């Protein structure tokens, strides 16, 4: 835990003795507010090679990028504090293979709207893009994979034949627990965080589960996860594999959470061609 994290945790814990609801609101604000993920000049140069189109969900703009090809349509869904440019190397490879490629920026990321992020809102963004472009393949990194499963489970987009999950989390409750542990929140704050989530979303953190949502999905799946992922534990991939009926798990070593490597692109392209 850094000194900054200790200070934030101390302030929120102190606030909980005065107002547990306020401490929980501040904690959730920090949890859902990305401080990175904006597009750099270099990334902007690459994204300008795409056809861009803006959509909306409840007045929130959704930015999409499209690279045309004659093969099936691949939708790319990035993760936390990232943007569509993170897919550059994979996009270049998919273009070589002549796939039709779509990417979108998440809520509060890149050129999309909102000042808060959560996987449920992201799932709605994904559905809006899917309704427009009817992807055959969805590739999601990290929480982008979780949001992709939430979206497909809810809306059952019939065009989706394959789903690829890269370093994706299984259980939201575990993500939340790692966050509260990292900041050192006291039990009063943690209890109120859970209560506030139930009030806002009508269900408990335990119900936001990639594994549980997979029971409704019949698409063919590929799961790629690194043994040394220090953001999303490898155990999440095992749990996802257990519930993803028609899926294959590829385990990597030394690539970390980002999984940015030519070998990953090769695995993806091979899966798309089979």
């Amino acid at each position: 835990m850094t000194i900054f994290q200790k200070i934030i945790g101390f302030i929120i814990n102190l606030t909980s003795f005065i107002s547990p609801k306020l401490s929980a609101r501040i904690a959730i604000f920090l949890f859902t507010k990305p401080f990175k993920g904006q597009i750099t000049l270099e990334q902007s140069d690459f994204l300008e090679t795409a056809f861009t189109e803006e959509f909306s969900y409840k007045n929130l703009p959704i930015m999409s990028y499209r690279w045309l090809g004659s093969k099936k349509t691949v939708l790319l869904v990035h993760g936390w504090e990232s943007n569509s440019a993170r897919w550059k190397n994979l996009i270049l490879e998919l273009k070589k293979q002549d796939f039709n490629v779509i990417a979108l920026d998440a809520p509060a990321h890149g050129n999309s709207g909102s000042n808060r992020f959560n996987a449920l809102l992201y799932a709605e963004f994904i559905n809006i893009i899917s309704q427009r472009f009817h992807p055959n393949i969805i590739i999601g990194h990290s929480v982008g994979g979780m949001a992709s499963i939430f979206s497909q489970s809810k809306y059952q987009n019939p065009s989706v034949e394959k789903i690829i999950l890269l370093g994706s989390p299984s259980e939201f409750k575990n993500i939340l627990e790692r966050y509260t542990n990292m900041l050192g929140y006291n039990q009063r704050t943690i209890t109120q965080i859970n209560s506030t989530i139930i009030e806002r979303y009508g269900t408990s953190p335990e119900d936001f589960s990639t594994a549980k949502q997979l029971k409704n999905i019949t698409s063919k799946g590929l799961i790629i996860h690194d043994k040394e992922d220090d953001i999303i534990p490898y155990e999440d991939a095992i749990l996802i594999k257990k519930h993803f009926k028609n899926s294959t798990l590829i385990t990597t070593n030394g690539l970390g959470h980002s999984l940015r490597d030519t070998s990953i692109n090769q695995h993806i392209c091979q899966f798309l061609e089979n």
Side-chain angles (χ1 to χ4, degrees), residues 57 62 119-129 147 151 154-155:
Y57 173 76
I62 307 169
L120 296 181
L121 178 59
Y122 202 0
E124 299 298 336
F125 277 32
I126 294 165
N127 180 55
I128 295 294
I129 299 301
S151 183
K154 180 177 180 179
Y155 291 105

Side-chain angles (χ1 to χ4, degrees), residues 35-253:
F35 293 96
K36 299 178 183 177
Q38 297 311 303
I39 296 169
T40 66
L41 182 60
E42 180 181 355
Q43 290 173 335
S44 180
D45 288 342
F46 171 69
L47 292 175
E48 285 177 0
T49 67
F51 293 97
T52 59
E53 191 170 358
E54 187 176 283
F55 300 89
S56 67
Y57 173 76
K58 293 186 176 179
N59 296 319
L60 296 174
I62 307 169
M63 181 57 70
S64 72
Y65 310 86
R66 183 162 46 121
W67 293 265
L68 300 181
S70 63
K71 289 185 178 179
K72 292 187 174 182
T73 298
V74 180
L75 175 60
L76 302 175
V77 185
H78 71 77
W80 174 255
E81 293 192 334
S82 185
N83 60 66
S84 292
R86 71 94 57 203
W87 299 109
K88 178 180 178 180
N89 291 337
L90 177 59
I91 290 169
L92 294 175
E93 184 60 38
L94 292 174
K95 283 179 63 181
K96 284 183 188 177
Q97 305 294 329
D98 203 27
F99 284 97
N100 191 41
V101 182
I102 314 293
L104 80 154
D105 288 333
H109 290 75
N111 288 315
S112 286
S114 182
N115 56 6
R116 299 288 184 276
F117 173 92
N118 67 67
L120 296 181
L121 178 59
Y122 202 0
E124 299 298 336
F125 277 32
I126 294 165
N127 180 55
I128 295 294
I129 299 301
S130 295
Q131 287 181 356
R132 170 64 177 84
F133 296 111
H134 307 290
N136 308 108
I137 301 103
I138 298 179
I139 303 176
H141 176 249
S142 192
V143 71
M146 172 180 268
S148 297
I149 295 300
F150 287 0
S151 183
Q152 183 62 14
S153 176
K154 180 177 180 179
Y155 291 105
Q156 295 292 311
N157 188 328
S159 67
V160 178
E161 303 166 2
K162 297 179 179 181
I163 299 175
I164 301 174
L165 303 176
L166 306 175
S168 294
S170 179
E171 307 304 303
F172 172 72
K173 67 180 179 63
N174 293 341
I175 299 174
L176 187 61
E177 182 179 359
R178 288 193 290 272
Y179 164 68
T180 57
N181 288 341
M182 181 179 69
L183 275 294
Y185 293 150
N186 60 24
Q187 191 56 51
R188 184 180 287 99
T189 298
I190 293 171
T191 299
Q192 188 59 51
I193 288 172
N194 282 275
S195 297
T196 301
I197 289 172
I198 292 171
E199 288 173 11
R200 289 185 182 181
Y201 302 105
T203 189
S204 67
E206 287 78 9
D207 293 326
F208 298 118
S209 164
T210 304
K212 289 179 181 178
Q213 295 296 322
L214 281 165
K215 67 182 180 181
N216 300 320
I217 291 178
T218 58
S219 306
K220 187 176 180 181
L222 176 65
I223 306 156
I224 305 179
H225 211 110
D226 195 83
K227 275 273 192 179
E228 300 175 22
D229 190 328
D230 61 353
I231 304 297
I232 305 299
Y234 179 72
E235 288 71 22
D236 283 39
I238 300 297
L239 188 56
I240 289 172
K241 175 66 177 72
K242 181 180 177 181
H243 289 82
F244 204 161
K245 300 171 187 174
N246 188 19
S247 69
T248 300
L249 171 60
I250 294 177
T251 302
T252 63
N253 288 279

Side-chain angles (χ1 to χ4, degrees), residues 10-20 23 186 188-189:
F10 174 77
I11 293 171
I12 290 176
N13 286 339
L14 189 63
T15 304
S16 73
F17 289 96
I18 304 167
S19 172
S23 70
N186 60 24
R188 184 180 287 99
T189 298

